[in-house]
Amino acid sequence: MENNDRTIRCEIEIIKVTLLPVEKALIVKKLTGKGAENIWYCLKGTDKVVLVNASGRTFDWPEGCDYLWSGVRPALQFLCSDGGTFAEGDRFRMAGHTFTVVSKGLALCDELIFHKPLTLTEVKAAELPADSPEVTPDEKDKFDFCKKFPQDNPCTIEGIDKILLQWIEKVKIRATATDRKNIVEIVK
């Protein structure tokens, strides 16, 4: 850890940039009192994206709702490479964003890095088989497009991975196998 001009910096190695596991969503609300004011995504298991509200609870699509504003809050799996440690609730700044440590080696971005109006059709395309009877004739074209191009659907793992990769490149986070070291500024 380094202390220049009363600013404490340390080096972390980012192992992976992902979504927060759904089991940790309620902890985030308890730890920080924060959480996006909108709906955001969490990871359920290894292959499903679920919607989480500002209270940290997952929910089903509201009846009669055509779209919801939703977004991505990256989670960083990391190691302290210079001997420093972080406790739950500690915060640090990196790449223009503030992150809160949720558990050992896992920190969540305090704000959304991506948001858009999410449609029920996108949710259905991520969850239902291509020939699902739940898809109405009005939804069919968009549903088929979302099925054909899952990387462009923010309700799929492929879509989230694309969003996170674009963000990593934009803010210049080092998270590759050859260079994972990032300097962070600790927030007091």
Side-chain angles (χ1 to χ4, degrees):
M1 289 200 172
E2 165 185 330
N3 187 349
N4 294 342
D5 302 323
R6 297 179 165 236
T7 301
I8 299 173
R9 293 182 181 93
C10 71
E11 190 173 83
I12 64 170
E13 290 184 51
I14 297 178
I15 306 306
K16 186 175 183 180
V17 179
T18 187
L19 293 179
L20 188 70
V22 72
E23 311 82 55
K24 302 282 187 187
L26 281 172
I27 293 170
V28 171
K29 188 65 176 176
K30 290 176 188 171
L31 280 177
T32 64
K34 285 185 158 284
E37 296 306 318
N38 282 318
I39 295 156
W40 47 287
Y41 308 114
C42 273
L43 189 60
K44 186 172 185 177
T46 58
D47 64 348
K48 186 172 181 183
V49 176
V50 295
L51 299 169
V52 178
N53 65 20
S55 300
R57 298 190 186 280
T58 61
F59 66 96
D60 293 323
W61 195 266
E63 188 68 35
C65 188
D66 293 329
Y67 72 92
L68 295 170
W69 276 97
S70 56
V72 175
R73 296 174 70 190
L76 306 177
Q77 293 177 0
F78 70 94
L79 298 170
C80 288
S81 54
D82 62 357
T85 59
F86 288 98
E88 288 181 6
D90 285 352
R91 296 173 67 215
F92 59 83
R93 272 194 273 287
M94 181 181 72
H97 298 279
T98 303
F99 294 82
T100 299
V101 176
V102 177
S103 61
K104 183 177 181 178
L106 183 64
L108 180 67
C109 190
D110 288 347
E111 63 268 352
L112 299 174
I113 57 109
F114 169 89
H115 58 88
K116 74 175 273 301
L118 179 69
T119 67
L120 179 55
T121 306
E122 290 167 321
V123 173
K124 286 181 178 181
E127 295 179 354
L128 300 175
D131 59 352
S132 175
E134 293 182 42
V135 178
T136 67
D138 292 341
E139 295 174 305
K140 185 71 174 135
D141 287 342
K142 183 166 184 165
F143 181 85
D144 289 346
F145 178 84
C146 288
K147 281 302 224 192
K148 185 174 181 178
F149 301 104
Q151 71 277 9
D152 292 327
N153 183 351
C155 299
T156 64
I157 296 299
E158 297 92 335
I160 295 295
D161 286 346
K162 181 179 174 183
I163 291 165
L164 290 173
L165 184 59
Q166 290 171 341
W167 176 73
I168 290 168
E169 290 172 0
K170 179 182 174 186
V171 298
K172 299 177 178 19
I173 289 177
R174 296 182 190 115
T176 65
T178 57
D179 188 8
R180 299 175 189 257
K181 295 183 180 189
N182 295 268
I183 302 294
V184 299
E185 182 180 304
I186 298 170
V187 177
K188 290 290 179 182

